[in-house]
């Protein structure tokens, strides 16, 4: 959205040169979520804990309930810590699209501030590629 230019209501632009536009729409949240999930801890300067270790789990046994529980824990912690605009509901491995080189994670979440109820949950698919 647009940053306010008249912060004290006197009719002049008080923030000239200092305007900050915050992205709050669903696409901005989606992009931030994908960046968070695909960033390894230590990759983001000055925020060493930002990200998840899900990329390190690419070669784990993905059919194991323990692996899925670990994925859910990693994702839940990172979202709760670094993405206050969404509420993590759960993650699942899309077994219909699994092959030897790709993993598709379906991340289910809801937006903070929305009324609760049916149809409010959203799902984003994050693709992890196993490179040789």
């Amino acid at each position: 959205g647009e940053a306010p230019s008249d912060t004290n209501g006197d009719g002049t632009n008080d923030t000239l040169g200092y305007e900050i536009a915050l992205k709050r729409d669903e696409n901005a949240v989606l992009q931030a979520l994908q960046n968070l999930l695909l960033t390894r801890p230590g990759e983001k300067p000055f925020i060493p804990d930002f990200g998840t270790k899900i990329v390190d789990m690419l070669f784990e046994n993905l059919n194991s309930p323990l692996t899925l529980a670990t994925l859910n824990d990693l994702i839940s912690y990172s979202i709760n810590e670094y993405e206050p605009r969404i509420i993590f509901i759960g993650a699942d491995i899309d077994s219909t699209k699994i092959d030897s080189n790709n993993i598709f994670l379906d991340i289910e979440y809801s937006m903070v501030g929305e009324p609760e109820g049916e149809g409010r949950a959203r799902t984003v698919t994050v693709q992890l590629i196993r490179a040789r």
Side-chain angles (χ1 to χ4, degrees):
E2 292 293 320
S5 58
D6 183 15
T7 57
N8 60 7
D10 66 357
T12 61
N13 185 348
D14 303 319
T15 59
L16 191 58
Y18 297 100
E19 292 90 357
I20 298 174
L22 298 175
K23 292 186 176 183
R24 296 197 184 272
D25 64 349
E26 186 176 343
N27 290 331
V29 171
L30 177 69
Q31 183 65 47
L33 179 59
Q34 289 177 335
N35 287 341
L36 173 64
L37 296 176
L38 296 175
T39 301
R40 287 183 172 157
E43 286 184 345
K44 188 170 179 98
F46 307 110
I47 309 175
D49 294 333
F50 182 87
T52 64
K53 295 181 180 181
I54 63 173
V55 175
D56 297 337
M57 298 185 72
L58 281 174
F59 297 99
E60 297 289 327
N61 178 8
L62 298 175
N63 294 325
S64 166
L66 180 61
T67 302
L68 188 56
T70 303
L71 277 171
N72 274 296
D73 289 345
L74 290 172
I75 294 168
S76 176
Y77 172 78
S78 292
I79 288 174
N80 290 334
E81 199 66 27
Y82 295 106
E83 189 47 69
R85 299 174 288 183
I86 65 173
I87 299 167
F88 175 69
I89 297 171
D92 194 22
I93 297 170
D94 188 350
S95 59
T96 62
K97 299 178 182 176
I98 207 165
D99 69 13
S100 60
N101 295 322
N102 295 308
I103 298 169
F104 293 87
L105 289 176
D106 292 329
I107 312 296
E108 190 174 359
Y109 66 95
S110 63
M111 302 288 285
V112 169
E114 282 187 331
E116 293 183 20
E118 296 261 337
R120 296 293 180 190
R122 294 170 166 82
T123 302
V124 61
T125 301
V126 177
Q127 180 182 11
L128 303 170
I129 300 172
R130 297 181 201 179
R132 295 181 189 189

